[in-house]
Amino acid sequence: MALTQHFDYLHVIAGMLVGVLVGLTGVGGGSLMTPLLVLLFGVSPQTAVGTDLLFAATTKIAGSVVHGKRETVDWRIVRRMACGSIPAALLTLGFLSWFGKIGNSTEHLIMISLAVLLGVTAVAVICRKWLLKLAHDIDPARPRSRVLAGTVLLGAAIGVAVSISSVGAGAIGMTVLLVLYPKLPVARVVGSDIAHAVPLALIAGFGHWIIGDVDFGLLAVLLIGSIPGVVIGSYLSSHASDRILQPLLACVLAVSSWQLFLKANPGEKHTAPAPTAAQSVSIAGEAAAKQP
């Protein structure tokens, strides 16, 4: 569709809102933008996921550049995660393409997956400090093979989750990485997670584009709001209190998860009531009168 067909202030405001929250909290836009597109704007789940993946990749490119210049990216972690996430994403995209052609259940699968992952993300946001404390209390002298295997498995899980629902590379990935690498500076873990999210989101986004699930007009309008929103959120992040932001974000994610679950399972459709006896006689009489 043309850009002018999509351009309205609600889309721009939605993009800016998500950009500000991403800048404030560091949680990936997939946890916020995809539910907004599905619940508020009525976009189909497949199109929302595909569009949001390229949306997230574009907004995180700038963050990766900044972290790269500041040398806060551990490319060893990025490579380990990519070893699991890239093959998993390609296999998941192939499955979605095949599954979508043989039935009409693909959107239901995406809705349920998105609802579950949003719920898990809400829990991860609330429990992040507790998990970090637990990680620091654990004996750091763990075998390197376990850390390596855990990182690759984390990448594979994120690759599947992101390809299906565009959620997973933000709060969930960050939390698990901080548990796996408790001695690594937080800024370095954040930079590594953002750097890994860019190629994964690009691959998954282009895969959805090939399938036919990306609306580039909608993507352009969302970026008009999100790019300045990320800048604003980044400046405000030093003045915002985690005691307010984290519970607020968790509540938004939990409500979105519940609403998506309700949307995916609307319950039994109401059937038309059976005609009464008088109505049946009237209908039969009209039918007989019409006969020659």
Side-chain angles (χ1 to χ4, degrees), residues 12 14 27 51 58 62 79 86 93-94 105 108 117 127 134 138 146 170 178 205 229 231 238:
V12 176
V27 175
T51 304
T58 306
R79 287 193 297 270
I86 302 303
L93 289 168
S105 302
H108 183 265
L117 287 168
C127 299
L134 178 65
I138 295 175
R146 289 188 181 180
L178 288 169
V231 176
S238 59

Side-chain angles (χ1 to χ4, degrees), residues 37-38 51 73 88 111 134 136 148 166-167 184 199 205 207-208 214 252 284:
L37 291 177
V38 174
T51 304
V73 176
M111 293 278 281
L134 178 65
H136 282 286
L148 172 61
S166 77
V167 177
L184 208 62
H208 278 271
V214 176
V252 172

Side-chain angles (χ1 to χ4, degrees), residues 27-160:
V27 175
S31 303
L32 303 168
M33 180 55 72
T34 303
L36 277 177
L37 291 177
V38 174
L39 297 174
L40 185 60
F41 297 109
V43 179
S44 70
Q46 286 178 294
T47 302
V49 169
T51 304
D52 181 63
L53 284 167
L54 293 181
F55 168 84
T58 306
T59 54
K60 287 184 177 182
I61 286 175
S64 298
V65 171
V66 173
H67 280 283
K69 289 183 178 179
R70 293 181 177 179
E71 297 183 352
T72 53
V73 176
D74 191 323
W75 295 108
R76 175 192 55 175
I77 295 177
V78 175
R79 287 193 297 270
R80 290 176 177 178
M81 293 183 70
C83 286
S85 65
I86 302 303
L90 293 173
L91 289 174
T92 304
L93 289 168
F95 170 78
L96 285 176
S97 177
W98 173 76
F99 190 62
K101 291 178 180 178
I102 65 171
N104 298 322
S105 302
T106 306
E107 289 194 1
H108 183 265
L109 171 66
I110 293 176
M111 293 278 281
I112 293 295
S113 302
L114 180 57
V116 171
L117 287 168
L118 284 176
V120 174
T121 305
V123 174
V125 170
I126 289 294
C127 299
R128 180 180 291 184
K129 289 186 178 180
W130 179 81
L131 290 172
L132 291 179
K133 183 179 179 181
L134 178 65
H136 282 286
D137 293 339
I138 295 175
D139 183 10
R142 290 173 291 181
R144 293 181 59 185
S145 58
R146 289 188 181 180
V147 177
L148 172 61
T151 308
V152 174
L153 288 175
L154 171 64
I158 290 177
V160 173

Side-chain angles (χ1 to χ4, degrees), residues 181-213:
Y181 301 91
K183 287 190 173 183
L184 208 62
V186 175
R188 199 165 178 83
V189 176
V190 172
S192 303
D193 183 64
I194 291 177
H196 166 258
V198 172
L200 173 59
L202 283 173
I203 290 173
F206 280 116
H208 278 271
W209 176 33
I210 293 172
I211 297 173
D213 297 332

Side-chain angles (χ1 to χ4, degrees), residues 215-269:
D215 191 327
F216 285 98
L218 177 60
L219 172 64
V221 175
L222 294 173
L223 290 174
I224 291 173
S226 71
I227 293 176
V230 170
V231 176
I232 295 171
S234 299
Y235 278 111
L236 294 176
S237 60
S238 59
H239 304 288
S241 173
D242 287 344
R243 293 181 180 180
I244 298 175
L245 285 175
Q246 288 191 350
L248 176 62
L249 181 62
C251 288
V252 172
L253 295 173
V255 171
S256 298
S257 172
W258 178 246
Q259 291 298 319
L260 283 169
F261 181 78
L262 292 179
K263 190 176 180 69
N265 299 278
E268 295 182 2
K269 296 182 180 180

